[in-house]
Structure formats: C-alpha cells, structure tokens
Amino acid sequence: MIAVNPTNSASVLAAFGALGVLAVVFAESGLLVVGFFLPGDTLLFPAGVLCAGSAEQPARLELWQVLVCAAVGAVAGGQVGYLIGRHGGRALLARTSSRRVKDAAARAEKLLARYGHGKALVIGRFVPVLRTVVHPVAGALGVPVRAFTLWQTVGGVLWSQTLVLAGYVLGASVPHVDDYLLPLVALVVVLSLLPLLAGGRHGRRGRRGPTD
C-alpha cells in the first residue's frame, strides 16, 4: 500500500492526481477543524505546474481535469460548510477547545460584518484559515442561502482557477520548473500568509488605540 500524507501536496498529487485536488479542496473549504490542516494554495499551484508538459516530458496531470476538480471541490465544500454552520455551527464552535478555530471564527464574523456577504466571501477564499471557517460562520449567522451560494461560488471558482492557471503558465514558461516545486510551495505559503500578518498588525494597533 502507498502511504499518503494528506497534509503534503506532493503526496496527494502523486497518489490521487486530480481527484486528490477535489477531495482536499472540498475539505479545506468548509470542514471545520479538519480543513485547517490541509493544503489549499499549496496544492492548487503545484497541480497547475504538473499540468504543463514539454517536449522532453509529458504533462503529469490533465489541465481540464484539475480545473474541474478544483472548482467542484471549492464550491461543494463551501456549500457543505454553510450547511454545517446553519445546523449547529454555533454550538460546534462553542464546544471546540482550539484557540485557532475560535480566533478564525471571530475574524470571519468581523469580515462579514465589515464588507458584507459578497466581498467577504470572495476575500475569505484567498486567506488561509479564514477559507475554512468563513462558510460555516456565514451559515451560523443566517446569511441568506441564495446570496451565499452566488458569492461563495464566485469566490471559489476565482480562487481555484487562478491558482491552477498561474501554476500552469509558470510550468509552461520555465523549463524544468517542477524540479523546484518545494521552493515554489514555500513561496506560495509566504504570500498566502501576508493577509493574515497584515490583519494581525492592524488588530494589534486597534487594541492599543491612538498614540500621542
């Protein structure tokens, strides 16, 4: 049997290909607690790279399959997360002992209050941690299902397709770029964490209040 590490994008892609993309993106897009530990950005970007072939080496994944699986996983996961939040989400969040989950839920609630349903659901897709919790929180807060479905679909498709296509373009433009997947994944991680770091600085400044 092949040992698969679900938190490692290379392991998931090698074992399951496009179906692995669907499963992981689905879980990361709305399954509370579990989704926090799964790769999202760091799975989609390398998957796009592996879709780019060359004269020396054929593509390891089919681009259309990865695009479809990424979109389906993102949209279906977001919808399931909403249902989880709508049917007992507040109780689930209250019972969890994870400080990370509680902090993320509070940030998601503030995001929805500040930007409204549309912007918050699209922005939340591009922020790690928030991506997992914003959909259950929207359900718990009673966001109308029609508005939620529309905007989480827009955000999910935009996020998933952008990252896959960015990886594909890079893979098609730079020879042997797949030899440098680990540094590329590290770069994606750093870039995806920038919104969290910026939000943390803003929050600390707000708590300190104005200075003379």
Side-chain angles (χ1 to χ4, degrees), residues 181-206:
L181 275 182
L182 285 178
L184 286 172
V185 167
L187 178 61
V188 171
V189 170
V190 171
L191 293 176
S192 64
L193 288 176
L194 289 179
L196 282 177
L197 297 175
R201 288 188 62 186
H202 179 76
R204 287 194 297 271
R205 287 179 179 177

PDB file of all heavy atoms in Angstrom, residues 181-206:
ATOM      1  N   LEU A 181       9.682  22.551  -7.091  1.00  0.00           N
ATOM      2  CA  LEU A 181       8.355  22.659  -6.507  1.00  0.00           C
ATOM      3  C   LEU A 181       8.394  23.029  -5.026  1.00  0.00           C
ATOM      4  O   LEU A 181       7.570  23.813  -4.543  1.00  0.00           O
ATOM      5  CB  LEU A 181       7.586  21.352  -6.686  1.00  0.00           C
ATOM      6  CG  LEU A 181       6.857  21.180  -8.025  1.00  0.00           C
ATOM      7  CD1 LEU A 181       6.100  19.866  -8.039  1.00  0.00           C
ATOM      8  CD2 LEU A 181       5.915  22.339  -8.305  1.00  0.00           C
ATOM      9  N   LEU A 182       9.339  22.469  -4.276  1.00  0.00           N
ATOM     10  CA  LEU A 182       9.396  22.762  -2.836  1.00  0.00           C
ATOM     11  C   LEU A 182       9.629  24.248  -2.559  1.00  0.00           C
ATOM     12  O   LEU A 182       8.909  24.851  -1.754  1.00  0.00           O
ATOM     13  CB  LEU A 182      10.462  21.908  -2.158  1.00  0.00           C
ATOM     14  CG  LEU A 182      10.092  20.430  -1.953  1.00  0.00           C
ATOM     15  CD1 LEU A 182      11.253  19.679  -1.307  1.00  0.00           C
ATOM     16  CD2 LEU A 182       8.833  20.293  -1.101  1.00  0.00           C
ATOM     17  N   PRO A 183      10.617  24.892  -3.225  1.00  0.00           N
ATOM     18  CA  PRO A 183      10.773  26.341  -3.015  1.00  0.00           C
ATOM     19  C   PRO A 183       9.550  27.126  -3.475  1.00  0.00           C
ATOM     20  O   PRO A 183       9.174  28.119  -2.842  1.00  0.00           O
ATOM     21  CB  PRO A 183      12.003  26.701  -3.858  1.00  0.00           C
ATOM     22  CG  PRO A 183      12.762  25.418  -3.981  1.00  0.00           C
ATOM     23  CD  PRO A 183      11.730  24.345  -4.025  1.00  0.00           C
ATOM     24  N   LEU A 184       8.918  26.678  -4.557  1.00  0.00           N
ATOM     25  CA  LEU A 184       7.725  27.375  -5.040  1.00  0.00           C
ATOM     26  C   LEU A 184       6.580  27.265  -4.036  1.00  0.00           C
ATOM     27  O   LEU A 184       5.866  28.232  -3.783  1.00  0.00           O
ATOM     28  CB  LEU A 184       7.292  26.805  -6.392  1.00  0.00           C
ATOM     29  CG  LEU A 184       8.143  27.186  -7.598  1.00  0.00           C
ATOM     30  CD1 LEU A 184       7.708  26.398  -8.836  1.00  0.00           C
ATOM     31  CD2 LEU A 184       8.041  28.683  -7.872  1.00  0.00           C
ATOM     32  N   VAL A 185       6.422  26.083  -3.472  1.00  0.00           N
ATOM     33  CA  VAL A 185       5.380  25.896  -2.458  1.00  0.00           C
ATOM     34  C   VAL A 185       5.660  26.781  -1.250  1.00  0.00           C
ATOM     35  O   VAL A 185       4.747  27.399  -0.685  1.00  0.00           O
ATOM     36  CB  VAL A 185       5.297  24.417  -2.037  1.00  0.00           C
ATOM     37  CG1 VAL A 185       4.458  24.262  -0.775  1.00  0.00           C
ATOM     38  CG2 VAL A 185       4.704  23.571  -3.164  1.00  0.00           C
ATOM     39  N   ALA A 186       6.923  26.867  -0.849  1.00  0.00           N
ATOM     40  CA  ALA A 186       7.286  27.729   0.277  1.00  0.00           C
ATOM     41  C   ALA A 186       6.937  29.190  -0.028  1.00  0.00           C
ATOM     42  O   ALA A 186       6.440  29.919   0.844  1.00  0.00           O
ATOM     43  CB  ALA A 186       8.773  27.583   0.587  1.00  0.00           C
ATOM     44  N   LEU A 187       7.184  29.612  -1.281  1.00  0.00           N
ATOM     45  CA  LEU A 187       6.860  30.980  -1.674  1.00  0.00           C
ATOM     46  C   LEU A 187       5.352  31.220  -1.630  1.00  0.00           C
ATOM     47  O   LEU A 187       4.894  32.271  -1.153  1.00  0.00           O
ATOM     48  CB  LEU A 187       7.392  31.252  -3.089  1.00  0.00           C
ATOM     49  CG  LEU A 187       7.088  32.639  -3.672  1.00  0.00           C
ATOM     50  CD1 LEU A 187       7.709  33.733  -2.817  1.00  0.00           C
ATOM     51  CD2 LEU A 187       7.596  32.740  -5.113  1.00  0.00           C
ATOM     52  N   VAL A 188       4.582  30.252  -2.109  1.00  0.00           N
ATOM     53  CA  VAL A 188       3.123  30.377  -2.075  1.00  0.00           C
ATOM     54  C   VAL A 188       2.632  30.491  -0.636  1.00  0.00           C
ATOM     55  O   VAL A 188       1.728  31.266  -0.327  1.00  0.00           O
ATOM     56  CB  VAL A 188       2.469  29.180  -2.789  1.00  0.00           C
ATOM     57  CG1 VAL A 188       0.958  29.184  -2.563  1.00  0.00           C
ATOM     58  CG2 VAL A 188       2.772  29.214  -4.279  1.00  0.00           C
ATOM     59  N   VAL A 189       3.227  29.706   0.266  1.00  0.00           N
ATOM     60  CA  VAL A 189       2.850  29.761   1.679  1.00  0.00           C
ATOM     61  C   VAL A 189       3.095  31.158   2.233  1.00  0.00           C
ATOM     62  O   VAL A 189       2.235  31.739   2.914  1.00  0.00           O
ATOM     63  CB  VAL A 189       3.640  28.723   2.493  1.00  0.00           C
ATOM     64  CG1 VAL A 189       3.444  28.949   3.987  1.00  0.00           C
ATOM     65  CG2 VAL A 189       3.208  27.311   2.126  1.00  0.00           C
ATOM     66  N   VAL A 190       4.261  31.718   1.953  1.00  0.00           N
ATOM     67  CA  VAL A 190       4.601  33.052   2.457  1.00  0.00           C
ATOM     68  C   VAL A 190       3.627  34.095   1.916  1.00  0.00           C
ATOM     69  O   VAL A 190       3.098  34.938   2.667  1.00  0.00           O
ATOM     70  CB  VAL A 190       6.044  33.419   2.082  1.00  0.00           C
ATOM     71  CG1 VAL A 190       6.332  34.883   2.409  1.00  0.00           C
ATOM     72  CG2 VAL A 190       7.034  32.520   2.819  1.00  0.00           C
ATOM     73  N   LEU A 191       3.351  34.042   0.617  1.00  0.00           N
ATOM     74  CA  LEU A 191       2.448  35.017   0.009  1.00  0.00           C
ATOM     75  C   LEU A 191       1.030  34.883   0.560  1.00  0.00           C
ATOM     76  O   LEU A 191       0.357  35.898   0.792  1.00  0.00           O
ATOM     77  CB  LEU A 191       2.434  34.843  -1.512  1.00  0.00           C
ATOM     78  CG  LEU A 191       3.731  35.192  -2.241  1.00  0.00           C
ATOM     79  CD1 LEU A 191       3.621  34.878  -3.734  1.00  0.00           C
ATOM     80  CD2 LEU A 191       4.073  36.677  -2.051  1.00  0.00           C
ATOM     81  N   SER A 192       0.586  33.654   0.783  1.00  0.00           N
ATOM     82  CA  SER A 192      -0.777  33.453   1.275  1.00  0.00           C
ATOM     83  C   SER A 192      -0.921  33.888   2.732  1.00  0.00           C
ATOM     84  O   SER A 192      -2.027  34.191   3.188  1.00  0.00           O
ATOM     85  CB  SER A 192      -1.181  31.983   1.130  1.00  0.00           C
ATOM     86  OG  SER A 192      -0.373  31.144   1.936  1.00  0.00           O
ATOM     87  N   LEU A 193       0.183  33.918   3.475  1.00  0.00           N
ATOM     88  CA  LEU A 193       0.128  34.325   4.884  1.00  0.00           C
ATOM     89  C   LEU A 193       0.182  35.844   5.057  1.00  0.00           C
ATOM     90  O   LEU A 193      -0.107  36.343   6.142  1.00  0.00           O
ATOM     91  CB  LEU A 193       1.269  33.685   5.667  1.00  0.00           C
ATOM     92  CG  LEU A 193       1.150  32.185   5.937  1.00  0.00           C
ATOM     93  CD1 LEU A 193       2.401  31.677   6.628  1.00  0.00           C
ATOM     94  CD2 LEU A 193      -0.083  31.870   6.767  1.00  0.00           C
ATOM     95  N   LEU A 194       0.549  36.580   4.002  1.00  0.00           N
ATOM     96  CA  LEU A 194       0.660  38.033   4.123  1.00  0.00           C
ATOM     97  C   LEU A 194      -0.639  38.697   4.589  1.00  0.00           C
ATOM     98  O   LEU A 194      -0.599  39.591   5.447  1.00  0.00           O
ATOM     99  CB  LEU A 194       1.122  38.641   2.787  1.00  0.00           C
ATOM    100  CG  LEU A 194       2.581  38.367   2.408  1.00  0.00           C
ATOM    101  CD1 LEU A 194       2.900  39.007   1.053  1.00  0.00           C
ATOM    102  CD2 LEU A 194       3.532  38.913   3.478  1.00  0.00           C
ATOM    103  N   PRO A 195      -1.826  38.295   4.049  1.00  0.00           N
ATOM    104  CA  PRO A 195      -3.056  38.925   4.562  1.00  0.00           C
ATOM    105  C   PRO A 195      -3.270  38.672   6.040  1.00  0.00           C
ATOM    106  O   PRO A 195      -3.766  39.543   6.764  1.00  0.00           O
ATOM    107  CB  PRO A 195      -4.163  38.260   3.720  1.00  0.00           C
ATOM    108  CG  PRO A 195      -3.475  37.803   2.478  1.00  0.00           C
ATOM    109  CD  PRO A 195      -2.094  37.407   2.914  1.00  0.00           C
ATOM    110  N   LEU A 196      -2.916  37.476   6.523  1.00  0.00           N
ATOM    111  CA  LEU A 196      -3.066  37.179   7.945  1.00  0.00           C
ATOM    112  C   LEU A 196      -2.155  38.057   8.791  1.00  0.00           C
ATOM    113  O   LEU A 196      -2.555  38.579   9.830  1.00  0.00           O
ATOM    114  CB  LEU A 196      -2.744  35.708   8.212  1.00  0.00           C
ATOM    115  CG  LEU A 196      -3.824  34.684   7.847  1.00  0.00           C
ATOM    116  CD1 LEU A 196      -3.302  33.277   8.106  1.00  0.00           C
ATOM    117  CD2 LEU A 196      -5.102  34.941   8.621  1.00  0.00           C
ATOM    118  N   LEU A 197      -0.903  38.221   8.333  1.00  0.00           N
ATOM    119  CA  LEU A 197       0.045  39.041   9.075  1.00  0.00           C
ATOM    120  C   LEU A 197      -0.392  40.497   9.101  1.00  0.00           C
ATOM    121  O   LEU A 197      -0.312  41.172  10.121  1.00  0.00           O
ATOM    122  CB  LEU A 197       1.444  38.910   8.455  1.00  0.00           C
ATOM    123  CG  LEU A 197       2.065  37.512   8.506  1.00  0.00           C
ATOM    124  CD1 LEU A 197       3.389  37.491   7.744  1.00  0.00           C
ATOM    125  CD2 LEU A 197       2.277  37.074   9.946  1.00  0.00           C
ATOM    126  N   ALA A 198      -0.891  40.971   7.950  1.00  0.00           N
ATOM    127  CA  ALA A 198      -1.359  42.357   7.882  1.00  0.00           C
ATOM    128  C   ALA A 198      -2.559  42.559   8.790  1.00  0.00           C
ATOM    129  O   ALA A 198      -2.671  43.564   9.499  1.00  0.00           O
ATOM    130  CB  ALA A 198      -1.716  42.715   6.439  1.00  0.00           C
ATOM    131  N   GLY A 199      -3.475  41.574   8.791  1.00  0.00           N
ATOM    132  CA  GLY A 199      -4.648  41.674   9.668  1.00  0.00           C
ATOM    133  C   GLY A 199      -4.269  41.656  11.128  1.00  0.00           C
ATOM    134  O   GLY A 199      -4.854  42.355  11.951  1.00  0.00           O
ATOM    135  N   GLY A 200      -3.252  40.844  11.481  1.00  0.00           N
ATOM    136  CA  GLY A 200      -2.797  40.785  12.862  1.00  0.00           C
ATOM    137  C   GLY A 200      -2.205  42.101  13.320  1.00  0.00           C
ATOM    138  O   GLY A 200      -2.466  42.559  14.440  1.00  0.00           O
ATOM    139  N   ARG A 201      -1.417  42.745  12.470  1.00  0.00           N
ATOM    140  CA  ARG A 201      -0.830  44.043  12.820  1.00  0.00           C
ATOM    141  C   ARG A 201      -1.917  45.089  13.002  1.00  0.00           C
ATOM    142  O   ARG A 201      -1.888  45.903  13.919  1.00  0.00           O
ATOM    143  CB  ARG A 201       0.149  44.488  11.738  1.00  0.00           C
ATOM    144  CG  ARG A 201       1.433  43.700  11.700  1.00  0.00           C
ATOM    145  CD  ARG A 201       2.420  44.321  10.736  1.00  0.00           C
ATOM    146  NE  ARG A 201       2.778  45.673  11.151  1.00  0.00           N
ATOM    147  CZ  ARG A 201       3.536  46.505  10.434  1.00  0.00           C
ATOM    148  NH1 ARG A 201       4.016  46.112   9.271  1.00  0.00           N
ATOM    149  NH2 ARG A 201       3.826  47.700  10.871  1.00  0.00           N
ATOM    150  N   HIS A 202      -2.907  45.053  12.085  1.00  0.00           N
ATOM    151  CA  HIS A 202      -3.995  46.034  12.180  1.00  0.00           C
ATOM    152  C   HIS A 202      -4.784  45.840  13.477  1.00  0.00           C
ATOM    153  O   HIS A 202      -5.155  46.804  14.146  1.00  0.00           O
ATOM    154  CB  HIS A 202      -4.929  45.878  10.975  1.00  0.00           C
ATOM    155  CG  HIS A 202      -6.091  46.822  10.999  1.00  0.00           C
ATOM    156  ND1 HIS A 202      -5.980  48.161  10.692  1.00  0.00           N
ATOM    157  CD2 HIS A 202      -7.412  46.617  11.301  1.00  0.00           C
ATOM    158  CE1 HIS A 202      -7.159  48.745  10.809  1.00  0.00           C
ATOM    159  NE2 HIS A 202      -8.053  47.822  11.173  1.00  0.00           N
ATOM    160  N   GLY A 203      -5.012  44.561  13.837  1.00  0.00           N
ATOM    161  CA  GLY A 203      -5.757  44.274  15.060  1.00  0.00           C
ATOM    162  C   GLY A 203      -5.014  44.739  16.296  1.00  0.00           C
ATOM    163  O   GLY A 203      -5.614  45.275  17.227  1.00  0.00           O
ATOM    164  N   ARG A 204      -3.695  44.539  16.336  1.00  0.00           N
ATOM    165  CA  ARG A 204      -2.912  44.960  17.492  1.00  0.00           C
ATOM    166  C   ARG A 204      -2.912  46.475  17.619  1.00  0.00           C
ATOM    167  O   ARG A 204      -2.993  47.023  18.724  1.00  0.00           O
ATOM    168  CB  ARG A 204      -1.479  44.420  17.383  1.00  0.00           C
ATOM    169  CG  ARG A 204      -1.373  42.931  17.643  1.00  0.00           C
ATOM    170  CD  ARG A 204       0.066  42.519  17.850  1.00  0.00           C
ATOM    171  NE  ARG A 204       0.872  42.751  16.654  1.00  0.00           N
ATOM    172  CZ  ARG A 204       1.024  41.853  15.674  1.00  0.00           C
ATOM    173  NH1 ARG A 204       0.394  40.680  15.756  1.00  0.00           N
ATOM    174  NH2 ARG A 204       1.768  42.109  14.638  1.00  0.00           N
ATOM    175  N   ARG A 205      -2.819  47.163  16.483  1.00  0.00           N
ATOM    176  CA  ARG A 205      -2.860  48.633  16.532  1.00  0.00           C
ATOM    177  C   ARG A 205      -4.196  49.122  17.054  1.00  0.00           C
ATOM    178  O   ARG A 205      -4.293  50.092  17.810  1.00  0.00           O
ATOM    179  CB  ARG A 205      -2.585  49.205  15.139  1.00  0.00           C
ATOM    180  CG  ARG A 205      -1.143  49.080  14.692  1.00  0.00           C
ATOM    181  CD  ARG A 205      -0.960  49.653  13.294  1.00  0.00           C
ATOM    182  NE  ARG A 205       0.420  49.560  12.863  1.00  0.00           N
ATOM    183  CZ  ARG A 205       0.845  49.937  11.652  1.00  0.00           C
ATOM    184  NH1 ARG A 205      -0.026  50.399  10.768  1.00  0.00           N
ATOM    185  NH2 ARG A 205       2.117  49.833  11.332  1.00  0.00           N
ATOM    186  N   GLY A 206      -5.282  48.429  16.606  1.00  0.00           N
ATOM    187  CA  GLY A 206      -6.615  48.828  17.050  1.00  0.00           C
ATOM    188  C   GLY A 206      -6.774  48.645  18.541  1.00  0.00           C
ATOM    189  O   GLY A 206      -7.422  49.461  19.212  1.00  0.00           O
TER     190      GLY A 206
END
